[in-house]
Each structure stands twice: as structure tokens, then as C-alpha cells.
Amino acid sequence: MKIRFLLLLPLMLSVIPTAPSVAAGDRFALVIGNAKYPDADTPLKEPLNDARDVADELKRDGFTVDIGENLTGDGMRRAFDKLYGKVKPGSVALVFFSGFGIQSARQSYMIPVDAQIWTESDVRRDGFSLETVLGEINTRGAGVKIALIDASRRNPFERRFRSYSAGLAPVIAPNGTLVMYSAALASVISDTGGDHSLFVQELLKEIRVPDLMAEETLNRTKMGVTRASRNEQVPWLSSSLAEDFSFIPGAHTSRPTATNVTPPATTPAPAPQPPAPPAVVANNPPPAPPPAPPAPPPLPKPPEVSVAPSPAPAPAPAPSPTPRPQIEAALPPPPPPVKPADTGTSPSAPVDTAALADDPTIKSLTAKIASNPDDVNALYRRGQVYASKGAYNLAIKDFDDTLRINPKDVEALNNRCWTRTVIGDLQGALKDCNEALRLRPNFVDALDSRGLVNLKSGAVKNAIADFDAALKINPRLTSSLYGRGIAKQRNGSASEGALDIANAKAMDPNIVQEFASYGVR
């Protein structure tokens, strides 16, 4: 079933502008660290520390810096508009973003903390396209445009799409642009849970080296990350700079120090030191490590489905751990095996192994797994790709290996539950969904998936209970709305079921075809 995230908490906006330094000239930077996503299991630890260190360093390098932490969509829009307003012909404009990023329609999007992303079209509605940002800076006349994007983390959003998409996409940027991602294209890395990301550690180390042009600085950063990660993380770099630019202006041995930097700038230290937290605008408490958000999100289910534009998002109500009678019950005696003709997806149909072998994403992931059989991210991602291409048995094997390494990976459990449901292994699917919900109560995606398991098994009351629980968390969860409608009709409530089905079809006209592919009509 479609993977959804939980509620959206009111999140704090803190954009902390700093006055231009004495030697700032025409160097402008916007630094964003987004860590408190309600859909993640816990707040990310790295983005805020990284953003503060990068902002502090850029100030010492003569940039006028605005820093934003845990920015909502409105906050990011205001921050970008402010940057656009500062840019002058011939100036330098730099954007640093640390948080979650997604590629959609071959563009990379930076995601605000309050994004309501359930379908791929929501990415384009709520996210901020890096190409659009660079294009706008270019139209303002910036001579040098730099984007440093640390957003290749495994995240709860893109795993919700049937159409597989992971990591970031290449950027078609205007001339005079330098773009660097913290990891390779279409690649994701796990957040280490440490205080700083490897990418930013290496970046700050190289920025402090005198006599380097920006391209060389970033190339050295790339080599440092690759070496330190033993080739597991290889940053991506693209340059179309038409003029020389160095992060360190002027003298080789010293840099202009901003008069307003807190704490006061001193001789550059050999290793990055976390600056004091910046002052926060009124009504926005400092971004201390936030409390863990409510039970969160995850994953996509594979088969590719084109999604109709979603209606305007309504604030999702806070999930209350309401009791779910029946839904923990075991399945009734299993029905006769599902015939391939009834599945819609023909899970028993032969898979084009040659086409799979030639798929560039599968090739890349397979090479990673060959060099490290316990690369849990590569195994998980390859399982998603296989499932999206109908290679369900191969997908299940990769999810098996993912769970062998980490038995508590609730997203892998949910994906395996869904894939097993598609091929008719309903007992195995139920076991996976129950375990995912034991580990993460109110996991909306697993509730949605288990609703499908119960629906296909004929346990319609259990299905209704699961879909009800999922819809309490996300009333816009079309798959649960449609599934509940089918279950209600089968339970004798024809008019109520028809209303759910009509509402679901109005939200997503493809939902009927999607359920038919699961063998549910």
C-alpha cells in the first residue's frame, strides 16, 4: 500500500540573519539545517550542527550569512526570497542545505520540515527545486553560484512512491555554477547519528586550506569523503564556473573576520569547532535537541502508479493510540492459493532477467553488495527496485537480507509485508506487518498494508479496523479509504462502502487499477 507519514507537528521557524561583515563585499550565503521532521523516527542530529559550523566558516570567509533551522515551507520560501533580494550583478551566491532531499521528474528538491508528502506530485508542491533556486539566483545576475547539498539521506518520503526514486538527480544549472552533493547521484546514505556529517567535516577541513580555488577545494572534499568512507560514500560534483573563485579571499595566511560573528573569530582552528548557537528571532526558541516526534513513517510500495494531483492538504490530526480491536488477531484459515489470473500483477509471470541485469540502478547496487554483502542500504534499495519492476521474489530475498542484518527495520518489514501480499503469501505478510506494528505502534504504512492483507484474506472486519486506524492518522490516505470501502461492501454496508470508494476515486482516479493489480476488485 502507499506509504504515508504520520502527522505534521507545528514546527519552529528560526531564520537568523547576520549583518554583513566588514569584508563581506558581494558574497551572500543562505545556510539551512532541517532536522526535526515529524516523519522521521527521531530528529536528525547532524543538520543543525553542520549548518552552524558551515555558517560560522562562511562568515569568516567574508560571506554575509543567513542561517535557517528547522524551516517550514513558508520559512524556506521567505529565506530564499531574502537571498534573491540581496544578489547583485557579479556577486557570489551560495546555498547550503542539510536535511532530506528527493528527486522527482529528474529534479532535486529540498524538503521543508512540514512537507505533507504522500505522492510524488506532493514533492513538487511542497519541495524546493534546486534548479529553480539556481535559476532565480542567475537571473539576478550572480556571477558565481554555489550549491552544497547534504541531502542524500535515506528518508521516509521517497519510499512511499510506487515509482522508484532515491537520492538526488543531476542538476541542469546555468553557467557559472558549482554544485556538490554529499553522495553520488541516485544514492542514499544512512544518517550516522553523530554530531557532524562526514561530508561537512571534510568540507570545512578543505575550505581552511589557503591558495585553493573553489573547484579544487570541493575536489579535495570529494576525495576526503571517499577515502574516509572506504568508497561507500562518493560525493557528486558538477562545475561550470567561468571565473576563478576561492572561498578564502585576499591574503593567503589570514582571512577577514566579521565583526558580528559570535563567538569572535580567531585564528582558524585546525578542526571545526561548533560555534555558539546563533541568536533566535522572537517567539522561536533556540533549536535545542527537540523531543522525539511521535511514532513516524516510511516506505513505498513498489508497483508504479501515476498519481493524480492531491487536493489541498488538511492538517493531519495527532495520532492517538486508540485501541484497535481485532486487528492483532491472527488470520482465519488461509484461503485457497490465489491463482495468477486473479492477481492482476501476474506475480508468477516470468521476469525479464536480462532487462533487470541491464538496469543501471540495479547494476550499481549489485556492485555495492558484491563489495560489501552487508550493505543494508543497498540491499533495501535494490529490493525496492526489484519490487517496482515486478521481480517480487528477488525483492523479498533482498528484504530478507536487510532484516537479517537489522531485524528491527520496520520499513523493510512493511515492504516485505506488501510484496508478500501481492504474491499471495498472506500468512507471511501478516506476520511481517504485525511485527512492524509491534516495533512501531501507529505505523500508518503498516496499518495500510495489513488492511490489504486482511482484505485479501477475507477478514473484512479486521481490514476495516486497520483502515480506520490508518485514516485516523492520515485522512487523505487514498488506499486505506478505497480499501475500507471495498471491505465495508463485503461486510454488508453497501452505501457506506460506496461513499468511501467514490471519495477515494475522486482523490486518485488510478486507485481502482491499483487495487486490481493486487487482485482486489
Side-chain angles (χ1 to χ4, degrees):
M1 302 302 295
K2 288 177 181 170
I3 302 313
R4 310 298 187 184
F5 61 51
L6 298 182
L7 72 167
L8 299 181
L9 297 177
L11 292 171
M12 299 178 292
L13 163 69
S14 73
V15 177
I16 307 98
T18 54
S21 67
V22 172
D26 290 336
R27 294 177 167 220
F28 305 104
L30 171 61
V31 175
I32 297 174
N34 281 352
K36 193 177 179 182
Y37 291 88
D39 307 276
D41 289 330
T42 58
L44 301 173
K45 292 184 179 180
E46 299 170 354
L48 298 188
N49 291 329
D50 288 345
R52 293 170 188 172
D53 282 358
V54 169
D56 188 62
E57 179 62 33
L58 292 175
K59 293 170 192 174
R60 291 199 295 266
D61 293 336
F63 281 82
T64 298
V65 180
D66 284 346
I67 178 171
E69 300 180 349
N70 291 327
L71 297 188
T72 62
D74 285 343
M76 285 183 68
R77 187 169 296 104
R78 288 195 296 270
F80 282 122
D81 285 344
K82 185 174 182 180
L83 175 65
Y84 302 151
K86 291 180 179 180
V87 174
K88 305 170 186 176
S91 60
V92 176
L94 182 149
V95 172
F96 172 88
F97 176 82
S98 181
F100 286 150
I102 304 177
Q103 65 162 293
S104 174
R106 299 183 182 181
Q107 289 195 38
S108 293
Y109 290 81
M110 298 169 282
I111 306 301
V113 293
D114 65 344
Q116 297 194 42
I117 296 176
W118 308 111
T119 66
E120 194 167 0
S121 61
D122 295 336
V123 177
R124 297 185 287 274
R125 182 197 66 207
D126 288 355
F128 290 82
S129 163
L130 179 57
E131 289 187 2
T132 299
V133 169
L134 291 173
E136 183 63 30
I137 292 171
N138 188 59
T139 62
R140 304 299 176 107
V144 174
K145 298 158 284 287
I146 300 174
L148 305 174
I149 309 298
D150 191 3
S152 299
R153 296 172 174 86
R154 177 175 167 182
N155 70 62
F157 299 114
E158 57 195 350
R159 291 182 295 252
R160 295 170 180 161
F161 310 142
R162 301 297 202 284
S163 54
Y164 174 77
S165 170
L168 302 179
V171 177
I172 301 175
N175 288 335
T177 303
L178 191 57
V179 179
M180 190 172 197
Y181 295 157
S182 59
L185 298 175
S187 174
V188 294
I189 55 176
S190 292
D191 192 68
T192 65
D195 292 332
H196 298 85
S197 73
L198 175 60
F199 172 69
V200 168
Q201 289 178 38
E202 294 296 323
L203 173 66
L204 293 176
K205 184 190 304 180
E206 299 303 335
I207 283 182
R208 295 186 173 110
V209 177
D211 299 327
L212 294 184
M213 290 299 101
E215 285 187 21
E216 186 178 358
T217 296
L218 297 188
N219 266 315
R220 288 167 60 109
T221 299
K222 176 179 178 179
M223 290 187 291
V225 172
T226 303
R227 183 169 50 249
S229 67
R230 298 183 180 180
N231 297 312
E232 289 296 315
Q233 181 179 345
V234 182
W236 179 80
L237 178 62
S238 174
S239 175
S240 62
L241 286 184
E243 59 183 88
D244 288 338
F245 171 76
S246 174
F247 286 101
I248 304 177
H252 296 165
T253 57
S254 62
R255 279 166 282 176
T257 300
T259 57
N260 63 324
V261 173
T262 303
T266 60
T267 302
Q273 298 295 322
V280 182
V281 293
N283 300 322
N284 285 300
L299 190 136
K301 284 172 194 151
E304 182 169 354
V305 172
S306 57
V307 184
S310 303
S320 55
T322 53
R324 295 188 296 279
Q326 302 174 321
I327 59 179
E328 295 292 346
L331 283 174
V338 179
K339 299 178 181 178
D342 293 334
T343 64
T345 56
S346 299
S348 60
V351 175
D352 188 344
T353 53
L356 289 176
D358 287 337
D359 182 273
T361 303
I362 292 177
K363 276 185 176 180
S364 172
L365 293 171
T366 300
K368 287 186 175 183
I369 295 166
S371 63
N372 177 12
D374 289 339
D375 187 335
V376 67
N377 280 327
L379 286 165
Y380 175 85
R381 290 171 55 223
R382 192 176 67 176
Q384 287 184 294
V385 181
Y386 279 145
S388 72
K389 295 180 180 296
Y392 299 117
N393 289 329
L394 292 175
I396 289 172
K397 183 179 183 305
D398 278 347
F399 295 140
D400 287 345
D401 287 338
T402 301
L403 290 162
R404 170 181 56 79
I405 299 166
N406 178 13
K408 295 184 178 181
D409 189 329
V410 292
E411 294 154 6
L413 283 166
N414 180 51
N415 264 348
R416 192 172 68 178
C417 170
W418 179 87
T419 308
R420 282 175 163 174
T421 304
V422 171
I423 66 173
D425 179 10
L426 301 182
Q427 292 289 344
L430 180 69
K431 182 179 178 181
D432 281 343
C433 276
N434 281 344
E435 178 63 8
L437 285 162
R438 184 188 71 81
L439 293 169
R440 184 186 294 171
N442 290 325
F443 180 11
V444 66
D445 302 327
L447 288 168
D448 188 50
S449 295
R450 193 169 66 181
L452 177 62
V453 178
N454 284 320
L455 184 61
K456 290 194 69 172
S457 74
V460 292
K461 290 184 179 179
N462 288 2
I464 291 170
D466 274 329
F467 291 137
D468 277 344
L471 289 165
K472 285 179 181 178
I473 297 168
N474 176 19
R476 295 178 58 239
L477 188 49
T478 314
S479 52
S480 282
L481 187 60
Y482 186 84
R484 188 177 69 178
I486 295 291
K488 284 182 176 179
Q489 287 187 331
R490 293 182 180 180
N491 198 44
S493 301
S495 58
E496 288 184 16
L499 180 60
D500 276 351
I501 289 171
N503 287 334
K505 289 166 66 176
M507 294 167 65
D508 180 3
N510 297 297
I511 196 66
V512 178
Q513 178 185 350
E514 181 181 322
F515 268 70
S517 74
Y518 305 149
V520 177
R521 295 179 175 84

